[in-house]
Amino acid sequence: MQINPYIFILPRSPGQIVWDYKNHKQFELNLEYSTRLAHLIDKPEKFDNNNTIDNQFVSAGILTPLMHEPIEWGWDELSKIFHIGTKNIPCEYVPQDINEWSRHYMDHCAEVLATPTPESSLTERPTSARITLPQPSCFPVNALVKTLIERKTCRTFTGERVSLDDLSTLLYLSLGYLRERENDIDETIAEGHGARRSSPSGGGLNACEGFLHVQNVSGLNPGLYAYHPTEHALSFVNPLPDSPLGQLLCGQHFINNLPVGLFITARFDKLWWKYEHSRAYRMAYVEAGHISQTFQLVATALGLNTWLTGALADDQVETLLGIEDSAEQPLFFVACGQSDGQAMCKELKALLNNRGSHQ
Ligand SMILES: Cc1cc2nc3c(=O)[nH]c(=O)nc-3n(C[C@H](O)[C@H](O)[C@H](O)COP(=O)(O)O)c2cc1C
C-alpha cells in the first residue's frame, strides 16, 4: 500500500483537507483520521487490513495499492499541482452532437445570466476624470490595421480545403524559426539559443511547440502532425481518431469540419531549466497566447477565418499527439478555414429564435 502521490494536505482548523488533485476529490479529516494518516505517511508498511480507518483511506483513494510510475514532470510541485489539478476536469456530460451542445450552452447561459452581472469596474478602484484620447489613426488602412480589425472568432466553417501554401505561410510566420533573423544575434545570446520567432518567447527558449490537426489540406493526408520550426517541416504523428474533433474539445461540435487547427503545447522542462520557480508556469500560457494571436492574424491576412479554445480533453489530446505523461503539455488550440463569418452556429441560432418566440 502506498500514499496516493497526487494528494496535498491543507490545514483548515479544526480539520485537515486531503485533496486528491488528480481525481478532483477532497476529504476533511478530523484529528483521529489525520493522526492515523500521519502515521501511515511515516510508515506505509504499517497499513492494517483490520483497521477501519485504513480501509476507508483505501476506498477514498488516499491509500492505493498501485505503484504509480512517477510522471516525467520537469517542473516543481506547485506548478504540477496546479496543472494536473486543472486537467481532465470532470464534466457532468460531454455533448455528443451539435444539437446537444447548443441546448447545453443555452441552458448554461441562462443560468449565468440569472445571477447578477459583476460591476463593470471594481468599486475600490479610484475613479478620476477620463482623458479623451485622439482618434486612432487607422487611416489610411494598411494591411496590419485591416487584419487587426478583421480578426474575429467564427463558429461556422464550410470545411473547404486550405492550400498547403497558405498552411506553410501560416506555420512559418507563427511558429517557424525565422531565417530572416538568423544574423540578428548579439553577445547576450548563448550559443544554440539564437532561434527567433515572430512572437516573443519567455527567456528566448521557444518552449512552445505546435501540432497540426489536419482534416482538409491540399497535399496532406488527414492526421496529426508535429511541426519542426528549424527545418520548417512536418512529421506525421497519428491518424485522426474516429470521433469528431468536437469530442476532443469538450463537446464543441460546431467546429467539427475545421480543415486545419494547431494544438499549442509547452515544454515545461525547458522553462524550468532556466527559471526554477512556479511563477514561470504563467509565462507558458502568455507565450501560447502570443502564438495563438499571431496564428489568427496571419490566417486573417490570408483571407481565412479563425477559432480558438482552451477546452481540451487533455488525456485524449496528449495521447493523439504522442506526448502523454511527459513534460510537454497541450495548452491551447487555434484553427482556421473558410467561413461565412458567423459567430454563432445555426443550431444555436435556431434554438435562440425558438426559445425567444415562446417567451
Ligand atoms: C483564452 C480564450 C479561450 C477561448 N475559448 C473559447 C472556446 O472554448 N470556444 C469558443 O467558441 N470560443 C472561445 N474563445 C473565443 C471568445 O469567445 C471570443 O474571442 C470572444 O467572444 C470575442 O469575440 P471575437 O474573438 O470575435 O472578438 C476563447 C477566447 C480566448 C481568448
Side-chain angles (χ1 to χ4, degrees):
M1 215 44 83
Q2 66 164 2
I3 307 292
N4 176 348
Y6 296 102
I7 62 171
F8 67 85
I9 299 172
L10 276 179
R12 187 71 49 81
S13 294
Q16 275 187 10
I17 308 294
V18 173
W19 195 317
D20 176 348
Y21 61 90
K22 187 170 186 199
N23 297 303
H24 311 287
K25 287 193 214 155
Q26 288 176 43
F27 306 92
E28 187 167 0
L29 306 190
N30 64 17
L31 189 58
E32 188 191 2
Y33 279 69
S34 29
T35 308
R36 179 66 191 154
L37 184 58
H39 284 134
L40 289 169
I41 291 171
D42 183 44
K43 289 194 175 69
E45 65 277 12
K46 289 275 165 83
F47 171 78
D48 177 1
N49 257 326
N50 300 316
N51 182 321
T52 320
I53 298 182
D54 290 12
N55 285 311
Q56 284 174 319
F57 285 155
V58 175
S59 338
I62 296 171
L63 289 180
T64 157
L66 300 172
M67 284 309 288
H68 289 266
E69 283 289 318
I71 67 160
E72 193 189 327
W73 175 242
W75 211 325
D76 70 344
E77 285 295 323
L78 190 56
S79 59
K80 180 172 158 192
I81 290 171
F82 181 76
H83 189 81
I84 295 179
T86 51
K87 256 177 95 166
N88 301 312
I89 299 301
C91 193
E92 266 174 36
Y93 183 70
V94 177
Q96 297 299 302
D97 61 35
I98 192 155
N99 295 310
E100 268 190 21
W101 176 85
S102 302
R103 282 196 297 276
H104 209 263
Y105 185 68
M106 281 280 287
D107 292 344
H108 169 71
C109 290
E111 210 177 292
V112 172
L113 290 171
T115 62
T117 322
E119 292 289 331
S120 58
S121 59
L122 294 173
T123 40
E124 313 85 65
R125 193 172 289 163
T127 50
S128 52
R130 297 284 190 272
I131 303 164
T132 315
L133 294 166
Q135 188 69 17
S137 81
C138 294
F139 299 98
V141 180
N142 66 29
L144 176 61
V145 173
K146 184 171 179 298
T147 303
L148 287 168
I149 290 170
E150 284 178 357
R151 193 239 26 108
K152 62 181 284 197
T153 307
C154 296
R155 296 182 184 81
T156 50
F157 289 88
T158 63
E160 209 172 303
R161 179 164 294 200
V162 167
S163 75
L164 194 59
D165 286 343
D166 279 356
L167 181 66
S168 169
T169 306
L170 194 51
L171 285 171
Y172 184 65
L173 292 179
S174 41
L175 272 180
Y177 292 162
L178 300 173
R179 292 177 200 127
E180 295 78 355
R181 286 194 60 184
E182 273 171 8
N183 296 324
D184 177 21
I185 289 179
D186 60 43
E187 56 284 0
T188 61
I189 297 173
E191 212 186 314
H193 293 274
R196 290 294 176 263
R197 289 176 163 150
S198 61
S199 289
S201 161
L205 294 170
N206 295 312
C208 283
E209 301 283 353
F211 287 83
L212 277 184
H213 180 279
V214 171
Q215 295 202 103
N216 198 1
V217 174
S218 59
L220 278 182
N221 287 327
L224 288 134
Y225 295 81
Y227 178 65
H228 303 275
T230 314
E231 300 139 73
H232 181 54
L234 295 171
S235 62
F236 181 79
V237 177
N238 263 318
L240 293 180
D242 293 334
S243 53
L245 176 60
Q247 208 70 30
L248 287 177
L249 305 172
C250 298
Q252 300 186 78
H253 289 281
F254 50 87
I255 45 68
N256 280 344
N257 63 350
L258 266 170
V260 65
L262 180 76
F263 284 102
I264 301 172
T265 62
R267 286 275 311 273
F268 290 162
D269 54 336
K270 273 190 168 185
L271 281 159
W272 177 250
W273 168 72
K274 186 164 178 184
Y275 303 111
E276 284 191 336
H277 194 284
S278 330
R279 188 180 174 83
Y281 178 82
R282 302 177 183 188
M283 297 307 120
Y285 279 88
V286 173
E287 186 166 321
H290 280 292
I291 290 169
S292 159
Q293 176 72 349
T294 306
F295 179 102
Q296 291 171 79
L297 292 177
V298 177
T300 305
L302 289 168
L304 299 165
N305 286 98
T306 57
W307 184 74
L308 68 167
T309 188
L312 314 182
D314 302 295
D315 279 353
Q316 290 176 49
V317 172
E318 280 174 46
T319 305
L320 270 180
L321 306 185
I323 54 171
E324 61 271 45
D325 294 332
S326 77
E328 179 166 7
Q329 292 280 298
L331 303 184
F332 211 63
F333 178 79
V334 58
C336 62
Q338 295 292 346
S339 157
D340 60 5
Q342 297 298 305
M344 207 191 283
C345 62
K346 62 179 188 321
E347 289 79 0
L348 185 61
K349 232 178 222 175
L351 211 54
L352 203 61
N353 289 339
N354 219 359
R355 290 200 186 172
S357 63
H358 287 97
Q359 273 168 7

